[in-house]
Amino acid sequence: SFNMADRTGSVKQQVASLVKSSLQATFPDLSDVEPQVAISAKFGDYQCNNAMGLWSKIKGSGTEFKNPNSVGQAIAKNLPPSEIIESTSVAGPGFVNINLSTNWISKRIKDMLVDGIQTWAPILSVKRAVVDFSSPNIAKEMHVGHLRSTIIGDTLARMFEFSDVDVLRRNHVGDWGTQFGMLIEYLFEQFPNWEDVGNQAIGDLQEFYKASKKRFDDDASFKERAQQAVVKLQGGEAKYRAAWKKICEISRSEFDLVYERLNVHLEEKGESFYNPYIPDTIKELTDKGLVEESEGARVIFLEGFNIPLIVVKKDGGYNYASTDLTALKYRLQMEQAEWIIYVTDVGQQQHFEMFFSAARKAGWLPPAEEKKFPRVSHVGFGLVLGSDGKRFRTRSSEIVRLVELLDEAKTRSKAELIQRLENNGTISDWTDEELEQTAEAVGYGAVKYADLKNNRLTNYVFSFDQMLKNQGNTAVYLEYAHARICSIVRRSNKDIETLKKTGTITLDHPDERVLARHLIQFAEVVEEACNNLLPNVLCEYLYNLSEIFNQFYTNCRVIDSPEETSRLLLCEATATVMRKCFELLGIKPVFKL
Ligand code: ARG
């Protein structure tokens, strides 16, 4: 069986390391020059773009080289011999075009079919990462922003996990703060026997929150009791702890309904977890001379920001920033994470930039421009809009119930599936369970894909009609494309497992070569999506894969052709890569549609 330690890395990484050897041989004195290798569609498969930059470094220093082109020539000539590269050519000011060996491409695909797609997992330099995502607030609305965070964060976690990174999936729920005083007091008031009351009886926590807030604003003695309740809760008084726990549990079971549907796993370490460690953090920051007094609060002044970061409020209480600084310290020091990734709407960008900057000042992190580990990143995303271009809401109520939203996606996808099967007379081939599971995979997949395919920073319009279309760049279309490839392999009546072992892949037709080249780029796409924290890069790759496959399938007969074995293997490799893409995007593949 395959050992992850034996991975070869992406093709781009392998080409880059050959270029690196050449650069070292050609310019022994410039050992720190990084290879610049890019995918090239027109001239060859990859292009090395180091020559011009090197030329500007060495010209006028009595170098033997005459111009950038001669630098490119030397880089090409000094590439170590390798089975990967078939030929090179040098163009213009030293661009080195690199052609991969077609035999090597065939072999790489064939090896993947035999040893599994995990052999194509990229090699990343990070060993352990925290992905802080979803993170809704107890007793408050879990809104579409949290849905986006859940979907994007889960995909990032999946891509890192696939790349053999140890991922700590953290749900940083807002489960602490002064609002709990009022919630607890309201619980006592409305449910005197609250300890024995079932969670359902308490009902909708958002309504509960609103009602308690109203009480708090309207009734001075309630307000007073609520404020005392905070003190008792923070002092650890058992009854108040228990009430707090109950309120958290009710919220948690609501959140879990969403996570279950989305098949997302998270480990909850909410704000309350870090609370006991905050005084230590503040002490450390104070001892380091970072904390100053300002208008009664304790703050950190940071370069480049016109407001200071408040770390202790006027009333002596802690806040979002003191909790985040403490959580960061914990993740770096106790959990030894090298990369800490936070997924929230872009509206919180300033908060993240400010406490990152404070952490750098405290010496917990190297300067940002060094691009070293440990590293922190804020993965911001845009708004979800309704068809009216305004912030997305359902028709019936002012807030969107996420569970209902997901259920609607499934209901709609099921209706469409049934309609289509009735139209083409194949509904009798389907069991109820198959219908149900397919509708679910396609419906939830559609919601996720509609979110992930956009660059996360842009706002996007939530539209069931759009996302459930079976044409264009949608999950439905891609699910169809995958199921169709599976059916080609099935209809051949060949035992694909045997072919994987005994068959060979030949790439004589240009469309076979184009498809094969796209397949072997899978690893570098995942690598890029991870390094830049951009899931849409993987969606784009997946969509292109289906288009490139179509081109191949249009021009290359598969079944009963002389090249049948090789082409079936290309079909199988395409389906395998598509399935891994689905999996990384958190979408269940379907095999029959
Ligand atoms: N609870 C916050 C919200 O709903 C998100 C928390 C994000 N994570 C963090 N470490 N600040 O906006």
Side-chain angles (χ1 to χ4, degrees):
S1 79
F2 176 75
N3 186 337
M4 287 303 270
D6 297 336
R7 274 170 301 161
T8 52
S10 68
V11 179
K12 192 173 163 186
Q13 248 176 15
Q14 292 183 65
V15 171
S17 93
L18 293 170
V19 169
K20 177 99 189 161
S21 303
S22 166
L23 292 174
Q24 282 167 346
T26 320
F27 301 98
D29 300 337
L30 299 171
S31 60
D32 56 339
V33 174
E34 281 307 306
Q36 286 169 26
V37 172
I39 292 175
S40 157
K42 269 200 196 139
F43 311 104
D45 298 309
Y46 290 88
Q47 192 171 66
C48 161
N49 302 328
N50 281 95
M52 276 201 287
L54 280 164
W55 171 251
S56 58
K57 276 195 184 171
I58 58 172
K59 71 176 165 197
S61 65
T63 169
E64 65 198 279
F65 294 104
K66 287 185 210 57
N67 51 35
N69 185 280
S70 63
V71 173
Q73 300 285 354
I75 296 172
K77 198 182 112 241
N78 288 334
L79 282 167
S82 132
E83 51 169 1
I84 302 179
I85 298 177
E86 189 148 294
S87 64
T88 57
S89 64
V90 179
F95 297 120
V96 183
N97 300 314
I98 297 172
N99 297 301
L100 296 178
S101 148
T102 301
N103 281 337
W104 183 80
I105 296 176
S106 306
K107 191 171 163 296
R108 186 166 168 89
I109 295 173
K110 158 100 180 169
D111 288 348
M112 180 279 282
L113 284 171
V114 174
D115 296 327
I117 187 87
Q118 71 275 13
T119 58
W120 282 6
I123 300 172
L124 305 179
S125 38
V126 55
K127 299 272 175 301
R128 178 175 295 158
V130 166
V131 184
D132 173 323
F133 69 109
S134 194
S135 309
N137 303 315
I138 301 289
K140 290 197 194 149
E141 175 198 0
M142 184 180 190
H143 52 70
V144 280
H146 296 118
L147 182 68
R148 281 208 87 176
S149 174
T150 308
I151 292 171
I152 296 170
D154 180 54
T155 300
L156 292 174
R158 284 168 183 268
M159 293 192 296
F160 281 110
E161 283 154 358
F162 172 62
S163 310
D164 208 27
V165 176
D166 182 18
V167 178
L168 309 178
R169 295 164 159 259
R170 290 287 182 263
N171 203 358
H172 191 84
V173 296
D175 64 351
W176 204 246
T178 45
Q179 80 271 26
F180 279 96
M182 121 199 144
L183 290 165
I184 290 170
E185 232 8 80
Y186 194 67
L187 180 72
F188 292 164
E189 201 176 78
Q190 295 294 309
F191 300 93
N193 59 338
W194 58 275
E195 274 155 304
D196 308 317
V197 175
N199 290 350
Q200 275 93 348
I202 292 169
D204 186 337
L205 267 190
Q206 285 170 54
E207 295 300 329
F208 189 88
Y209 182 91
K210 269 195 217 153
S212 71
K213 177 87 174 66
K214 193 167 178 332
R215 262 320 256 119
F216 186 88
D217 293 337
D218 293 352
D219 185 323
S221 79
F222 180 88
K223 186 171 176 175
E224 182 136 329
R225 272 180 286 137
Q227 282 161 345
Q228 279 160 15
V230 179
V231 178
K232 287 177 181 158
L233 173 65
Q234 297 191 333
E237 222 171 279
K239 182 179 162 195
Y240 290 81
R241 275 309 275 197
W244 167 76
K245 237 175 121 185
K246 183 164 189 102
I247 294 166
C248 291
E249 260 161 33
I250 299 171
S251 265
R252 192 173 297 127
S253 54
E254 297 240 326
F255 302 157
D256 283 346
L257 296 176
V258 174
Y259 301 143
E260 238 167 68
R261 280 167 176 71
L262 296 176
N263 189 26
V264 168
H265 300 278
L266 277 148
E267 193 193 323
E268 183 178 322
K269 262 197 171 48
E271 293 183 358
S272 64
F273 175 86
Y274 304 101
N275 193 60
Y277 306 103
I278 297 179
D280 258 6
T281 308
I282 303 299
K283 183 172 184 312
E284 181 187 334
L285 298 172
T286 307
D287 291 348
K288 287 185 168 161
L290 270 58
V291 180
E292 291 170 52
E293 198 82 19
S294 171
E295 294 172 34
R298 297 170 71 189
V299 306
I300 302 178
F301 283 96
L302 299 159
E303 241 171 83
F305 298 94
N306 46 21
I307 49 162
L309 182 69
I310 299 174
V311 292
V312 183
K313 293 186 291 185
K314 248 200 261 195
D315 64 5
Y318 301 125
N319 63 5
Y320 196 41
S322 26
T323 308
D324 259 329
L325 280 164
T326 305
L328 174 57
K329 191 175 160 193
Y330 186 89
R331 289 160 178 182
L332 290 168
Q333 295 173 2
M334 306 300 279
E335 300 186 312
Q336 298 282 302
E338 294 166 308
W339 198 357
I340 299 141
I341 295 161
Y342 302 84
V343 189
T344 80
D345 62 289
V346 281
Q348 296 193 32
Q349 188 173 339
Q350 169 149 318
H351 161 75
F352 285 97
E353 280 174 1
M354 287 184 82
F355 89 80
F356 291 172
S357 159
R360 291 200 178 92
K361 250 185 135 169
W364 300 347
L365 297 167
E369 59 284 0
E370 287 181 18
K371 300 204 153 126
K372 277 195 205 141
F373 294 122
R375 184 189 300 171
V376 287
S377 299
H378 176 229
V379 172
F381 53 79
L383 297 173
V384 184
L385 305 175
S387 47
D388 56 0
K390 296 202 190 117
R391 206 180 266 266
F392 182 66
R393 302 203 182 298
T394 47
R395 280 149 299 180
S396 51
S397 71
E398 51 186 306
I399 53 155
V400 182
R401 308 227 171 261
L402 295 184
V403 170
E404 285 165 23
L405 188 82
L406 294 169
D407 289 350
E408 181 166 354
K410 179 177 165 182
T411 311
R412 286 188 186 228
S413 110
K414 190 166 179 179
E416 264 166 49
L417 176 62
I418 289 173
Q419 171 103 70
R420 196 178 55 82
L421 296 174
E422 272 169 356
N423 288 346
N424 65 23
T426 55
I427 189 125
S428 56
D429 301 344
W430 288 67
T431 65
D432 281 349
E433 203 186 317
E434 277 178 322
L435 283 175
E436 188 70 10
Q437 283 175 357
T438 304
E440 201 173 284
V442 172
Y444 298 161
V447 173
K448 289 186 182 185
Y449 191 80
D451 191 320
L452 295 171
K453 76 170 181 181
N454 307 292
N455 179 305
R456 58 180 162 75
L457 287 163
T458 58
N459 300 340
Y460 81 96
V461 175
F462 189 98
S463 157
F464 282 121
D465 291 336
Q466 282 299 322
M467 67 178 73
L468 289 169
K469 277 203 172 120
N470 59 17
Q471 251 152 46
N473 191 3
T474 67
V476 187
Y477 165 77
L478 293 164
E479 290 275 24
Y480 271 113
H482 169 259
R484 193 171 62 126
I485 299 171
C486 293
S487 97
I488 296 167
V489 175
R490 264 198 315 270
R491 278 187 291 117
S492 76
N493 281 322
K494 295 282 164 8
D495 178 23
I496 194 74
E497 291 310 314
T498 308
L499 291 190
K500 279 186 195 174
K501 291 187 197 103
T502 59
T504 49
I505 296 173
T506 50
L507 302 171
D508 295 331
H509 193 287
D511 290 322
E512 292 173 325
R513 176 72 165 62
V514 170
L515 174 60
R517 189 182 86 143
H518 194 71
L519 286 170
I520 62 162
Q521 283 168 357
F522 172 69
E524 59 217 47
V525 170
V526 178
E527 183 175 291
E528 191 198 329
C530 286
N531 288 335
N532 299 330
L533 305 168
L534 289 175
N536 64 303
V537 169
L538 186 64
C539 296
E540 202 176 298
Y541 170 84
L542 172 60
Y543 182 63
N544 288 338
L545 177 56
S546 74
E547 298 276 283
I548 288 171
F549 180 85
N550 284 347
Q551 170 90 5
F552 153 80
Y553 194 61
T554 307
N555 297 330
C556 301
R557 187 154 59 91
V558 177
I559 293 175
D560 291 337
S561 72
E563 300 88 352
E564 188 186 68
T565 297
S566 166
R567 288 179 178 172
L568 282 172
L569 290 175
L570 280 177
C571 290
E572 181 66 13
T574 304
T576 305
V577 170
M578 287 187 85
R579 274 199 291 282
K580 186 46 87 176
C581 290
F582 285 138
E583 198 186 295
L584 296 178
L585 298 170
I587 300 172
K588 286 206 181 89
V590 300
F591 294 82
K592 173 176 160 185
L593 252 180

